[in-house]
Amino acid sequence: MATKDEDAAANGQEKTKKRRSVSRSFPAATFEDALLVPRAIQKYAAGQQVRRLTLFDHLGKAPSSGHSRQLVTNASRYGLIEGNYNSEHLKLTPDGAKVTGPGTPPREKRRLEFKLAISEIKPFRELYEKLQNNRLPSKKVLTDYLLDNGYSETEVSECVDTFIVNAKQVGVLKTLSGAETVVPIEHALEETPAAPKDQISGDGFSDAKDSPPPLSGPSLLSPPRSGDSSESWDTTCFYITPIGEDGSEHRQHSDLFLRHIVEPALEEFGLRVVRADHIGKPGMITGQVIEHIVKSRLVVADLSYHNPNVFYELALRHATRRPTVQIIQRSHPGLTG
């Protein structure tokens, strides 16, 4: 007869097995994020086949790390590269070469971006076909639609977030008459120039959007170094947000908002964005966190999920009477109306 400890161990093993068996029906990153590896192949290997270890050496990343493996997996799932995280070599697909290549006409590049980022990813294609020529409904409506079509409850929230970011990137989610609307790809193509720009930069990329991210130097995500002067605080924005553990819904939400809303909005003002987990353990309100709350030139507070730490940190910032911006996800657990 099994003991209670043996039963608990068996149940734990069964739960672990179930967790491992769950896989996303879509890539675990936005299309923009998945472009890092193919763009690097284009830059460092002139678009040719390259050894995986050599490529990640150029990128300054450990090829065997979980993050590097995920970068390769995402690029492969979007149809941008051939090979996986165990392959000796990585190679651009024909579509991946055109999307990242300097000579592809903008309209053709946009068409391929839509193909790879939306139409060839089953849940994204289904959302696009349902929403085409309609206003974007609340996130809850979209997650319910995916649930009704057989998708797992553990993936639908992230799936909707990723779809929305991809749709904006490829030009099929636009603001029309004050409302976010999903437009036909033909509409997006008509607004895209047919011919490439006259000027192409010396590194082979047609514009800043096509260039790979810098591999060294200051980053928007980098916190101020210890001993920085007041000038550093003048160029810092502290992002107050529910973070959560790696892979959690809160972390996925925070990463999406950070990369695709907060950073792009503040980059033109020369502000670098710092999040609490870059200066300490997620969930801990340390002296460094308080210092960033008090001294940063700007604070952006994400009120999604009604997180107690976020409210506390926001109250500290309000006490300073310094510039603060509050944002919230339009539909999230606990938000009604």
Side-chain angles (χ1 to χ4, degrees), residues 22 29 91 108-109 116 141 181 276 282-283 312 325:
V22 174
K91 180 182 178 182
E108 172 67 5
K109 182 177 292 189
L116 299 176
V141 170
T181 304
Y312 175 77
V325 174

Side-chain angles (χ1 to χ4, degrees), residues 1-187:
M1 183 174 179
T3 66
K4 289 183 178 180
D5 289 343
E6 289 171 338
D7 287 340
N11 289 335
Q13 290 174 356
E14 184 64 24
K15 289 179 180 178
T16 300
K17 186 183 298 182
K18 288 180 180 179
R19 283 198 299 269
R20 288 175 179 172
S21 65
V22 174
S23 59
R24 292 179 180 86
S25 54
F26 59 96
T30 65
F31 185 67
E32 175 67 24
D33 290 340
L35 283 168
L36 188 147
V37 168
R39 283 174 176 164
I41 294 175
Q42 195 69 254
K43 179 176 182 180
Y44 297 116
Q48 303 301 309
Q49 177 175 284
V50 61
R51 287 185 179 273
R52 179 175 56 85
L53 299 182
T54 301
L55 183 68
F56 279 96
D57 181 57
H58 277 296
L59 286 170
K61 299 180 182 293
S64 59
S65 71
H67 179 62
S68 296
R69 291 158 68 98
Q70 195 64 61
L71 287 173
V72 174
T73 299
N74 292 333
S76 178
R77 291 198 66 182
Y78 274 116
L80 292 161
I81 65 170
E82 297 177 11
N84 58 48
Y85 55 76
N86 288 320
S87 300
E88 183 177 356
H89 295 89
L90 298 176
K91 180 182 178 182
L92 292 171
T93 63
D95 286 345
K98 290 180 180 178
V99 165
T100 58
T104 307
R107 189 171 294 175
E108 172 67 5
K109 182 177 292 189
R110 175 55 52 88
R111 183 188 67 79
L112 288 172
E113 288 174 342
F114 172 79
K115 172 188 173 185
L116 299 176
I118 300 292
S119 67
E120 293 196 345
I121 308 297
K122 186 173 181 287
F124 298 167
R125 179 177 68 251
E126 292 176 356
L127 286 170
Y128 169 76
E129 291 174 350
K130 174 179 175 58
L131 298 171
Q132 190 175 169
N133 289 316
N134 288 289
R135 290 181 298 150
L136 188 70
S138 70
K139 182 176 178 180
K140 185 64 168 62
V141 170
L142 296 180
T143 57
D144 285 347
Y145 170 77
L146 292 176
L147 289 172
D148 292 342
N149 282 273
Y151 292 97
S152 167
E153 187 173 356
T154 60
E155 67 173 339
V156 292
S157 177
E158 182 187 355
C159 182
V160 169
D161 285 339
T162 307
F163 165 77
I164 289 173
V165 172
N166 284 2
K168 287 181 178 179
Q169 182 189 347
V170 303
V172 295
L173 181 57
K174 295 181 174 294
T175 301
L176 301 178
S177 301
E180 287 189 302
T181 304
V182 177
V183 301
I185 180 58
E186 292 77 15
H187 179 86

Side-chain angles (χ1 to χ4, degrees), residues 271-294:
L271 295 177
R272 57 180 178 178
V273 182
V274 181
R275 196 172 64 183
D277 58 320
H278 300 121
I279 55 177
K281 185 177 179 181
M284 299 294 292
I285 302 177
T286 64
Q288 283 181 302
V289 169
I290 293 175
E291 184 179 27
H292 279 74
I293 293 170
V294 172

Side-chain angles (χ1 to χ4, degrees), residues 295-308:
K295 293 184 177 181
S296 295
R297 180 178 180 182
L298 177 69
V299 160
V300 173
D302 184 350
L303 305 184
S304 305
Y305 299 100
H306 294 171
N307 184 277

Side-chain angles (χ1 to χ4, degrees), residues 200-249:
I200 296 179
S201 60
D203 63 0
F205 295 93
S206 60
D207 51 40
K209 177 178 178 293
D210 291 330
S211 301
L215 303 181
S216 60
S219 165
L220 288 174
L221 288 172
S222 302
R225 298 177 298 276
S226 59
D228 275 359
S229 67
S230 60
E231 293 181 359
S232 292
W233 294 114
D234 287 341
T235 59
T236 299
C237 168
F238 187 62
Y239 180 35
I240 299 175
T241 176
I243 299 174
E245 299 298 326
D246 286 337
S248 67
E249 181 181 351

